[in-house]
Amino acid sequence: METKRDIERFIDEIKYGRLGRRDIMRIMASVGLASFILPTGRTAALAQEEQPMLYTWAGYEVPEMHKEYFDKYGASPDATVWGDEEEAEIKMRSGFEPDMVMPCSYKVMKWNELGFLRPIDTARLEHWDEIIPTLYDVPDTVLEGQRMWVPAWWGLTSVTFRTDLAPEYVPTEAHTWGILWDEKYEGRLSMIDSLIDGVMVAAIYSGAEDPFNMTPEETARCKEYMERQKPLLRFYSSDNTGWQQALASGELVAAASWNDTILNLSNQGIPSMFMQPKEGAMTWTCGLAMTNWVTPEKEAIVYDLMNAYLSVDTGIYWVDSFGMGHSNKLVYDQISDEDLIARGLTPGDIEAYIAAGHFQATIKNEPELQQMYEAVKAGI
């Protein structure tokens, strides 16, 4: 904490519950303060050390994302954020023991096999009957008859492109992943830097029958498509702010992206469109899971936290702020058709819209594909 702004930011992080006791102690110790008094606040029903440990993506831990919980307990959970699920997996393998995690669906089977997860009793979920029915059946999330994960948010991985720079792709019938292989736009295209996006998009475009369980022949063809695409790319990136800024400036013509990209570009008045590729977008859904490390004393509190994340209030905040879908079907009654369209969503049959894409599932040959992906990026 070298500047006044650093101190102000640190105070805000404590004020809004974004730092747990362990994080605060670590930061204070790093600047030579051996002990200090934590603000306790008499409105809080739980001391910070009694709060559940939440392990999740950055931005998912803010009070607005669990308002019901914050209102009840006067505090946020003790949260730690991960950069991606691979980082999270390594940390949990190494002994980190959170109470609740928020993986995307394709990680649930693996994390369950690693012993991270415990079954969820949906009878204790207040909003379970409000979930979009299609999301009850997300692949690989009910294992041996036990629900190991519940859906909370969803969206599409598709293509956002500049309609003024690539007008030939504006008609709906021209929407295709092929824009990301269009040689006219060499050096002005980008891909999301992750296995699930970088490889699966190529698998979908190359015609794999099941992108998440490819045959050896399909895998070889997918690699050929990735190798053909690589010299056309400006960059691989997992930073959505980076590709959004590049699209806004015209540095990029098209980018593999999520729904939030079209929302942010539209808010800036940038002529752009979020595709519905004829080959199918990729539907992702991420959610909530309870870990095997939850103590009996914290179990009820974790269910309260889950209930807050599944609530209509959280859903409205999520869709409005992040531009992606929430699993609670009642949310869409509270948002105008215009606002849904601006977020790359639909005011019509939300179930059909979700089901139209390729649902992310467990990647059957993940180690092989990860090695292939890294080799292609390295030009090997």
Side-chain angles (χ1 to χ4, degrees), residues 56-57 60 82 100-105 149-153 285-289 310:
T56 185
W57 308 89
Y60 290 42
W82 63 54
M100 180 173 147
V101 289
M102 295 186 174
C104 293
S105 60
W149 169 98
V150 295
W153 18 81
T285 177
C286 303
L288 318 173
L310 296 175

Side-chain angles (χ1 to χ4, degrees), residues 329-345:
K329 63 187 177 184
L330 303 183
V331 168
Y332 304 92
D333 297 333
Q334 309 298 318
I335 301 174
S336 71
D337 291 356
E338 181 181 4
D339 285 342
L340 287 173
I341 292 170
R343 288 154 175 78
L345 301 173

Side-chain angles (χ1 to χ4, degrees), residues 299-312:
E299 185 175 287
I301 304 169
V302 172
Y303 274 108
D304 282 343
L305 185 57
M306 287 186 168
N307 284 323
Y309 274 106
L310 296 175
S311 71
V312 173

Side-chain angles (χ1 to χ4, degrees), residues 232-340:
L232 304 178
L233 298 179
R234 182 76 170 183
F235 51 71
Y236 293 93
S237 176
S238 56
D239 175 16
N240 59 349
T241 300
W243 72 63
Q244 288 172 22
Q245 291 175 345
L247 283 165
S249 70
E251 177 185 355
L252 291 179
V253 170
S257 53
W258 306 307
N259 305 66
D260 60 333
T261 296
I262 189 63
L263 172 63
N264 291 327
L265 293 180
S266 297
N267 287 341
Q268 297 175 61
I270 306 296
S272 52
M273 185 176 287
F274 190 63
M275 282 189 176
Q276 288 292 313
K278 60 186 178 184
E279 304 88 0
M282 184 162 58
T283 303
W284 59 263
T285 177
C286 303
L288 318 173
M290 187 180 300
T291 73
N292 269 325
W293 301 298
V294 175
T295 62
E297 296 77 19
K298 284 188 178 178
E299 185 175 287
I301 304 169
V302 172
Y303 274 108
D304 282 343
L305 185 57
M306 287 186 168
N307 284 323
Y309 274 106
L310 296 175
S311 71
V312 173
D313 282 346
T314 292
I316 293 171
Y317 173 78
W318 171 261
V319 175
D320 183 59
S321 301
F322 293 90
M324 293 177 277
H326 190 268
S327 64
N328 192 313
K329 63 187 177 184
L330 303 183
V331 168
Y332 304 92
D333 297 333
Q334 309 298 318
I335 301 174
S336 71
D337 291 356
E338 181 181 4
D339 285 342
L340 287 173

Side-chain angles (χ1 to χ4, degrees), residues 154-161 169-179 259 262 273-283 340-341 343-346 352-358:
W154 60 273
L156 301 180
T157 299
S158 185
V159 180
T160 303
F161 72 103
Y169 287 101
V170 170
T172 303
E173 60 271 19
H175 286 195
T176 172
W177 287 109
I179 191 175
N259 305 66
I262 189 63
M273 185 176 287
F274 190 63
M275 282 189 176
Q276 288 292 313
K278 60 186 178 184
E279 304 88 0
M282 184 162 58
T283 303
L340 287 173
I341 292 170
R343 288 154 175 78
L345 301 173
T346 177
Y353 181 75
I354 294 171
H358 299 268

